Amino acid sequence: MALIVQKYGGTSVADAERIKHVARRIARTREAGNEVVVVVSAMGDTTDDLIKLAQQICDKPDSRELDVLLSTGEIVASTLVTMALHGMDYPAISLSGAQAGIQTDSSYSRARILKVESQRVKSELDKGNIVIVAGFQGITNGMDVTTLGRGGSDTTAVALAASLGAGVCQRYTDTEGIYTADPRVVPEARRLPEIGYDEMLELATYGNKVIHPRAVELGELYNVPILVASSFTDRPGTLIHGGPFMEVRNKARSVAYDLDVAKITVVGVPDRPGIAAAIFEALARAGVSVDTIVQNASINNITDLSFTVAKSQLAKAMEVVRPIAKTIGARECTSDDKLGKVSIIGAGMQNTPGYAARMFGTLSEKGINIELITTSEIRITCIIEEAKVKDAVLALHRAFELEKED
Ligand code: ADP
Ligand code: ASP
Ligand code: MG
C-alpha cells in the first residue's frame, strides 16, 4: 500500500458542501488502495476573521493566546472533514498538530518545526484510519500551542510526508497548479507541468501566497515531490521536484508579485564602520524581518541607507530606527508604504545576459519608476509603486512571452 499525504487549502474546505466534496476525493484516494494522511487549512477566511476578532478585544493580543486562538480554525476543519468521511462509512480520525507530533520552537506566530514524532499517526494508519491533521500548528517542549506563520499548513503537510516517508505530497488548492503568473492577474498565464525546487522557492518567496516557502525548502531537503493541483477538477497540476527535467528551459519561467512592501530610508548617514550593524541588530532584536537592503555610494562620507519590511512591520521598524538615526547623526528617516515587488524568475536566466535589460526596458516603456533592484542567480526583483504592480506583471508576462510553451 502506498502512503499519500494530501493537503487541502482554505478555499477547498470553505463550506459544508466543499468539505463533503473533499471527503469524496479523500475516499477515492483510499479506494485506489492507498493509506491517506490529510492536512487541512482553516475554512475560508477563518484565520483572518479570528485575527480581527482578537483585535476587537485588545490592541495587541498576547502572542501565546493568539496562537491558541488561530489553531482552532484548522481544528474545526479537521473534525468536519473527519465527520464527512464517517458519514460515508470510512474509518477516520482527526488529530491536532500536537497530537500528530508536530514539535516546534516557541516563536509564536512563526514557529519552526523541530521534529515530527509520527508514532500516533502511524498507529492510526495501522488501525485502518484515514488521518486528518489540523495544519499550521504545533506544540513546544513546554506543551504550548504554536502556529507556523500564514500559509503554514503547506509546511505541516510536507513535514509529515517527509517524516512518514510518503512518496508524494499532494497540495490541493483553487488553481490547477503553478502558473507562469498569478492567473487572477494574467488571464493568459499558462500552467507549468513541472518546476524545480529552487525556482519554486524563489516564486513562493517573492510571490504572493502560491505555496508556503518553508514547505518547498523541506520538500527539497527531504526530497519529497509536491504536486500542486486543483481540488475542484481532475487535471494534472504541477509537480515540484528536483529533476531531471524533460523541458529545455533557457528562459524566464514566471513572474511573481508581492504588494506587501514598505521602505525605510535613513538619509544622510555618516559612512563609517558599525552603522549598519547598529541599525539591523536593533531591528533583529525587535523581531522585524528586513528584506531588501541598499546602501548608496557615499559622497563626502555621507550616504543613504534604504531597506524594506512588510507593511505590518513598518510602524515597529520606524520606532526602532528613529532613535538610532538620531544617535548616529543621520539627517532624517523617511518611509513609504505604497510599494510592491515584481520579480522574474527562471533557472535558465543564470549566466545569460539580457534579462535585466529587457525587464527594466519593459517597465520604463510603461512609465514605471524602479525604486530598488535586487537579484539572485535565478531572479530579478524591482521594487515599484504599489498601484503599478499589476500593470507591470501583465507587461512582463507579455515581454518574456511566458504564455508560449517552452
Ligand atoms: P489555499 O487556500 O489552497 O492555501 P492560497 O490562496 O494560499 O490557496 O493560494 C492559491 C492562490 O495563489 C491562487 O488562488 C492564486 O490566485 C495565487 N497565485 C499567485 N501566484 C500564482 C501562480 N504563479 N500560480 C498559481 N497560483 C498563484
Ligand atoms: N489558516 C492559515 C492561514 O490562513 C494557515 C493556512 O491556510 O495554511 O494562513
Ligand atoms: Mg495558502
Side-chain angles (χ1 to χ4, degrees):
M1 246 203 225
L3 170 66
I4 292 182
V5 174
Q6 300 188 327
K7 181 252 168 177
Y8 291 92
T11 334
S12 305
V13 292
D15 57 34
E17 258 334 292
R18 287 189 185 177
I19 285 178
K20 288 186 193 166
H21 173 76
V22 159
R24 286 193 288 275
R25 292 184 65 107
I26 298 169
R28 246 203 296 153
T29 313
R30 170 58 169 255
E31 289 298 335
N34 302 296
E35 288 187 307
V36 196
V37 173
V38 176
V39 174
V40 287
S41 287
M43 296 170 69
D45 297 327
T46 302
T47 309
D48 292 324
D49 295 343
L50 289 172
I51 292 172
K52 280 185 211 138
L53 188 58
Q55 284 165 346
Q56 283 168 28
I57 304 285
C58 82
D59 284 346
K60 281 195 182 141
D62 176 76
S63 53
R64 177 189 180 279
E65 301 309 320
L66 189 61
D67 271 21
V68 179
L69 177 70
L70 298 191
S71 73
T72 63
E74 270 66 16
I75 291 178
V76 169
S78 67
T79 57
L80 294 174
V81 171
T82 306
M83 290 176 201
L85 283 163
H86 291 167
M88 295 160 63
D89 286 333
Y90 284 87
I93 185 168
S94 68
L95 296 177
S96 68
Q99 289 173 313
I102 310 288
Q103 302 193 353
T104 72
D105 63 20
S106 54
S107 322
Y108 295 115
S109 84
R110 54 194 156 87
R112 293 187 85 90
I113 298 177
L114 299 175
K115 63 176 170 188
V116 181
E117 295 280 8
S118 48
Q119 305 88 317
R120 176 73 191 270
V121 175
K122 282 186 191 139
S123 76
E124 295 301 339
L125 288 171
D126 290 345
K127 285 184 218 158
N129 276 318
I130 299 170
V131 183
I132 315 293
V133 177
F136 175 56
Q137 56 189 270
I139 192 139
T140 66
N141 245 338
M143 303 297 278
D144 283 315
V145 172
T146 52
T147 63
L148 308 180
R150 298 306 304 268
S153 299
D154 295 338
T155 299
T156 308
V158 179
L160 274 170
S163 126
L164 295 166
V168 64
C169 178
Q170 302 173 335
R171 177 193 186 269
Y172 291 108
T173 181
D174 57 352
T175 53
E176 288 181 354
I178 305 297
Y179 282 64
T180 49
D182 187 343
R184 287 190 225 174
V185 177
V186 182
E188 65 270 27
R190 186 172 55 84
R191 179 182 59 83
L192 298 165
E194 58 178 356
I195 187 167
Y197 291 116
D198 292 347
E199 282 177 311
M200 190 63 235
L201 187 57
E202 294 273 9
L203 181 54
T205 308
Y206 287 84
N208 211 341
K209 280 180 126 201
V210 215
I211 180 168
H212 203 226
R214 277 160 45 202
V216 183
E217 273 171 356
L218 277 184
E220 177 159 35
L221 194 60
Y222 293 97
N223 203 14
V224 179
I226 306 167
L227 177 77
V228 179
S230 167
S231 64
F232 300 95
T233 69
D234 285 319
R235 304 260 170 74
T238 300
L239 190 66
I240 308 169
H241 65 123
F245 290 95
M246 304 290 287
E247 299 172 65
V248 182
R249 289 174 293 115
N250 58 347
K251 55 180 271 190
R253 292 264 283 168
S254 52
V255 186
Y257 73 92
D258 182 357
L259 298 177
D260 187 14
V261 182
K263 181 180 77 165
I264 295 180
T265 303
V266 191
V267 185
V269 181
D271 194 5
R272 60 174 143 74
I275 299 282
I279 295 175
F280 295 111
E281 277 167 8
L283 286 166
R285 272 197 304 276
V288 175
S289 57
V290 173
D291 188 31
T292 309
I293 303 174
V294 177
Q295 181 173 329
N296 290 342
S298 69
I299 302 170
N300 298 331
N301 281 335
I302 298 287
T303 182
D304 292 346
L305 181 68
S306 294
F307 58 91
T308 61
V309 296
K311 283 179 179 151
S312 59
Q313 297 214 296
L314 178 61
K316 196 174 184 187
M318 283 298 267
E319 261 173 43
V320 173
V321 174
R322 263 207 205 98
I324 300 176
K326 216 170 178 180
T327 325
I328 60 180
R331 201 161 64 239
E332 61 173 335
C333 208
T334 61
S335 69
D336 182 348
D337 67 351
K338 300 266 176 319
L339 297 174
K341 262 184 239 171
V342 59
S343 306
I344 55 167
I345 291 151
M349 289 162 37
Q350 213 165 347
N351 305 324
T352 318
Y355 287 99
R358 195 170 345 153
M359 180 172 193
F360 305 153
T362 306
L363 295 178
S364 110
E365 272 162 33
K366 286 267 153 195
I368 299 173
N369 186 43
I370 302 171
E371 301 264 342
L372 297 174
I373 300 165
T374 66
T375 61
S376 78
E377 283 189 340
I378 61 169
R379 170 186 55 80
I380 307 168
T381 299
C382 294
I383 295 185
I384 61 176
E385 193 188 325
E386 182 183 347
K388 304 253 169 86
V389 167
K390 295 202 173 161
D391 277 352
V393 173
L394 279 163
L396 290 168
H397 198 274
R398 236 163 261 151
F400 287 96
E401 300 185 320
L402 298 185
E403 69 288 354
K404 291 194 185 153
E405 292 286 326
D406 289 316

